[in-house]
Amino acid sequence: MTKEEKLNVIEDLTSQLAENTTIYLADISGLNAVATSDLRRACFKAGVKLSVIKNTLLAKAMEASDKDFGELPGVLKGNTSLMFSETSNAPAKLIKNFRKKSDKPLLKGAFIAEEVYIGDDQLDALVSIKSKEEVIGDIIGLLQSPAKNVISGLKSSGGKIAGILKTLSEK
């Protein structure tokens, strides 16, 4: 690879790092061709972009980025695969599900919305992060509960003001 090609790769990586708020680093070394193909297929289905990248190029792209990756460049040893996703917990769920059949991929680290997670022991914490859609669903569910109480109170009181007030005060 020429110096110009390396600079182009670093430039592309830097722009990808800038565009994404969910970045995972994993080790997929040791997977055979079938398992690697299965992993790539699972990534495609889950909307996760997977690419194997050279550590030195990724480290330079991280340095050139405006983001603070904290200790994340320190995990760039050995084989490193880069995973991008719009959903913060999708790569973690994918890794956890894939490891039911294999001991790989191993999570090296993750950068999610300005937070840095280091090590494979963080996988369960990353799986439990709720996506934007899940948080909105929870909020809507919480807001619907009081509204349902008011409506049921209005229906059970027979439509009289005194009955409505009595029912609502009991709830």
Side-chain angles (χ1 to χ4, degrees):
M1 187 179 274
T2 67
K3 189 171 185 170
E4 187 176 309
E5 289 172 332
K6 287 180 183 180
L7 290 174
N8 287 338
V9 170
I10 292 169
E11 206 174 288
D12 289 344
L13 278 173
T14 304
S15 68
Q16 286 180 347
L17 293 174
E19 293 169 4
N20 292 285
T21 57
T22 302
I23 303 163
Y24 281 68
L25 302 177
D27 178 5
I28 64 169
S29 65
L31 291 178
N32 62 26
V34 173
T36 302
S37 179
D38 290 344
L39 178 62
R40 289 186 180 281
R41 190 174 301 110
C43 286
F44 180 77
K45 287 180 182 176
V48 175
K49 184 180 176 199
L50 174 71
S51 60
V52 178
I53 196 70
K54 201 168 180 177
N55 290 332
T56 54
L57 299 177
L58 182 55
K60 289 182 181 187
M62 285 179 167
E63 286 174 21
S65 174
D66 294 337
K67 295 180 180 177
D68 179 17
F69 289 102
E71 298 174 28
L72 206 53
V75 302
L76 296 176
K77 294 176 180 79
N79 186 306
T80 303
S81 296
L82 195 55
M83 301 171 101
F84 294 112
S85 176
E86 290 185 21
T87 307
S88 56
N89 62 0
K93 286 180 178 179
L94 188 138
I95 290 170
K96 189 167 185 157
N97 189 38
F98 199 81
R99 288 201 355 212
K100 290 176 183 175
K101 299 179 274 184
S102 172
D103 61 340
K104 297 277 180 146
L106 294 175
L107 177 69
K108 288 181 156 191
F111 178 85
I112 300 170
E114 307 299 321
E115 287 291 322
V116 176
Y117 300 86
I118 303 291
D120 195 56
D121 58 331
Q122 298 292 317
L123 189 60
D124 288 330
L126 293 168
V127 167
S128 67
I129 291 175
K130 291 190 176 192
S131 68
K132 190 186 316 181
E133 291 79 16
E134 290 170 328
V135 171
I136 290 171
D138 289 349
I139 291 170
I140 289 171
L142 290 171
L143 293 174
Q144 283 180 342
S145 181
K148 287 179 182 177
N149 288 341
V150 170
I151 291 170
S152 70
L154 292 173
K155 287 181 180 177
S156 68
S157 66
K160 296 180 182 163
I161 299 287
I164 293 170
L165 290 174
K166 181 181 177 198
T167 304
L168 290 176
S169 67
E170 290 172 358
K171 293 189 177 197

